[in-house]
Amino acid sequence: MKILVVNCGSSSLKYQLIDMADESVIAKGLCERIGIEGSKLTHQPAGKDKFVAENPMPDHKVAIQMVMDALQDKEHGVIASTDEISAIGHRVLHGGTTYSESIVVNEDVKKVIRDCFDLGPLHNPANLMGIEACEATMPGKPNVAVWDTGFGMAMPEKAYMYAIPHEYYDKYGLRRYGFHGTSHMFVSGEAIKFGGLDPKSAKVIVCHLGNGASISASIGGKCVDTSMGLTPLEGLIMGTRSGDVDPAVVQYICNKEGKDVNEVLNILNKKSGVLGMSGGVSSDFRDIEAAKKDGNHLAEVALDAFIYRVAKYIGAYTAAMNGVDAIAFTAGVGENDKASRKAICQYLGYLGVKIDDAANDVRGVNAVISSADSKVKVMLIPTNEELAIARETKRLTE
């Protein structure tokens, strides 16, 4: 069974073709600058040279057709025809309060994606375009929507309700949804398996740390809390996002700077985080670390604040679950930055967390990085959202 996994942005399309017999990636690639001059496809078949095609892509339908052509190309292709593709799995940002589980796409599902455009204005329209492009290019093939908010929908009311007038929940579905859900679902499940934990009762905290960052707490693989909220702006300090901030900050900046709410929200989303805290050094944590080593005080504060915020959330989620069995680090910073992992865990001595420096000297592979006498198992678990989407697609269509 071969499954095509598609992740559409407003002007991009990432894809992987996965053979579910052994969960190997047969080919992967990226369409860039869709609808923009200079669009191109970069196609990487397993075991073959990378192939780049620079052709106009006015829309996602043309992009999908180019992907199909590349997959079937005599020289660079990996399949004889699209008959070999059993189904298509799509990362879809938002299903609102309607959907919490992955689902085979039908007209009702597409309507919900459309209805949630205002909750996911950058992603949902692109996700729908990707689905409709696949329907047009491969008619009759099942398409599956895997919701980025799905994992967080398991949260209890006490965790997802905001302390605002209830009418706003009734009218608009204003609540905490959580994001990076596919990653949290995958990593929490892999942590349970890799750590030999009880799949029904394991208390796991996943730290998805990168330019976008979030933390989740789960019991037996079911989310009980997660740091992002109505939008990905809530929670941790990130590359350009502020994370948690007093809402009055928005009004204060509006009044002092003569800006409207939308302008200030744009600042909190795109000009804040470690980029803003460091005085504009960078949104890349590697650059912040380098600037800190060069003696840049603001860069040092930004990095320290990020680590501090992560440690605070771990403490809060340990309290929420009345304990923790495992802490798993994942994503760009979590998988690759041993110094940040250690610095975060140095706050957790009260939990009996002990890091093994030699074990922690690793990148991008499944590993236990805590010492044998650590009371909490600390792990590095690389995320694989594409594989998680493929597994969900297989489950629903085979």
Side-chain angles (χ1 to χ4, degrees):
M1 185 181 195
K2 295 182 178 72
I3 288 173
L4 179 65
V5 176
V6 174
N7 182 354
C8 282
S10 58
S11 61
S12 67
L13 186 158
K14 291 192 291 185
Y15 65 92
Q16 286 191 7
L17 184 64
I18 299 176
D19 187 342
M20 298 309 292
D22 58 3
E23 296 188 336
S24 62
V25 178
I26 307 168
K28 61 182 179 180
L30 170 67
C31 297
E32 300 174 85
R33 300 178 66 83
I34 299 171
I36 305 170
E37 189 176 344
S39 52
K40 69 176 182 178
L41 176 147
T42 303
H43 176 71
Q44 178 66 70
K48 297 181 181 179
D49 292 335
K50 187 180 291 185
F51 168 69
V52 177
E54 297 187 14
N55 290 309
M57 293 183 219
D59 54 37
H60 287 71
K61 183 179 177 181
V62 174
I64 284 288
Q65 186 59 61
M66 285 184 64
V67 171
M68 294 301 102
D69 292 343
L71 291 171
Q72 298 171 83
D73 184 85
K74 288 184 179 180
E75 187 176 348
H76 308 285
V78 292
I79 56 175
S81 77
T82 56
D83 291 342
E84 294 183 43
I85 299 174
S86 300
I88 306 101
H90 299 263
R91 177 187 179 271
V92 183
L93 182 77
H94 228 301
T97 57
T98 306
Y99 291 118
S100 58
E101 301 285 341
S102 305
I103 189 169
V104 177
V105 173
N106 56 28
E107 290 305 314
D108 287 339
V109 173
K110 289 196 286 185
K111 180 182 183 301
V112 169
I113 296 172
R114 222 174 267 114
D115 290 344
C116 292
F117 277 7
D118 58 343
L119 290 173
L122 296 179
H123 296 85
N124 267 43
N127 300 153
L128 183 59
M129 284 190 283
I131 289 170
E132 292 181 332
C134 288
E135 288 177 332
T137 308
M138 293 174 282
K141 298 277 186 188
N143 288 267
V144 171
V146 180
W147 312 100
D148 201 47
T149 53
F151 186 72
M153 292 300 287
M155 284 187 286
E157 284 184 293
K158 64 183 179 183
Y160 73 69
M161 292 298 291
Y162 285 118
I164 58 177
H166 196 269
E167 64 184 280
Y168 298 125
Y169 175 76
D170 292 333
K171 284 181 180 178
Y172 311 117
L174 286 186
R175 52 159 283 174
R176 301 181 63 250
Y177 288 96
F179 299 87
H180 295 146
T182 311
S183 176
H184 285 289
M185 175 181 69
F186 179 84
V187 174
S188 59
E190 291 296 303
I192 290 171
K193 286 191 287 185
F194 186 70
L197 307 176
D198 187 332
K200 294 183 179 178
S201 62
K203 298 174 179 178
V204 177
I205 293 173
V206 172
C207 303
H208 178 112
L209 307 180
N211 194 275
S214 60
I215 295 186
S216 69
S218 61
I219 300 176
K222 295 291 184 183
C223 180
V224 296
D225 209 339
T226 188
S227 58
M228 286 178 168
L230 174 71
T231 74
L233 184 57
E234 187 178 354
L236 299 177
I237 296 166
M238 305 177 219
T240 64
R241 296 185 188 119
S242 66
D244 295 336
V245 68
D246 183 344
V249 167
V250 177
Q251 180 191 41
Y252 193 89
I253 295 174
C254 284
N255 292 340
K256 289 291 186 179
E257 297 285 326
K259 299 181 184 297
D260 64 25
V261 170
N262 293 320
E263 289 176 294
V264 177
L265 262 292
N266 187 62
I267 291 169
L268 295 185
N269 270 296
K270 297 180 179 180
K271 299 180 181 179
S272 300
V274 294
L275 172 66
M277 287 189 77
S278 66
V281 168
S282 178
S283 62
D284 190 304
F285 284 85
R286 292 166 295 188
D287 296 336
I288 299 293
E289 179 67 41
K292 173 186 173 180
K293 288 179 180 176
D294 287 342
N296 186 312
H297 176 66
L298 292 181
E300 180 179 6
V301 172
L303 195 60
D304 289 350
F306 169 75
I307 288 165
Y308 178 65
R309 184 77 60 89
V310 173
K312 284 209 301 181
Y313 263 97
I314 292 172
Y317 287 169
T318 300
M321 295 190 293
N322 195 20
V324 59
D325 297 311
I327 299 167
F329 289 93
T330 196
V333 174
E335 293 174 27
N336 295 297
D337 188 351
K338 64 181 181 180
S340 289
R341 292 194 298 259
K342 182 173 182 179
I344 290 162
C345 289
Q346 284 175 336
Y347 279 98
L348 308 177
Y350 68 97
L351 294 176
V353 169
K354 295 182 181 179
I355 293 298
D356 182 320
D357 287 339
N360 187 38
D361 189 14
V362 66
R363 299 173 64 177
V365 295
N366 285 359
V368 174
I369 61 173
S370 50
S371 60
D373 59 342
S374 178
K375 291 183 179 178
V376 178
K377 197 165 282 190
V378 183
M379 291 179 262
L380 189 165
I381 304 287
T383 191
N384 192 333
E385 294 179 80
E386 289 80 12
L387 179 55
I389 292 168
R391 287 174 177 174
E392 286 289 279
T393 303
K394 179 186 177 186
R395 179 178 67 84
L396 289 168
T397 59
E398 69 177 351

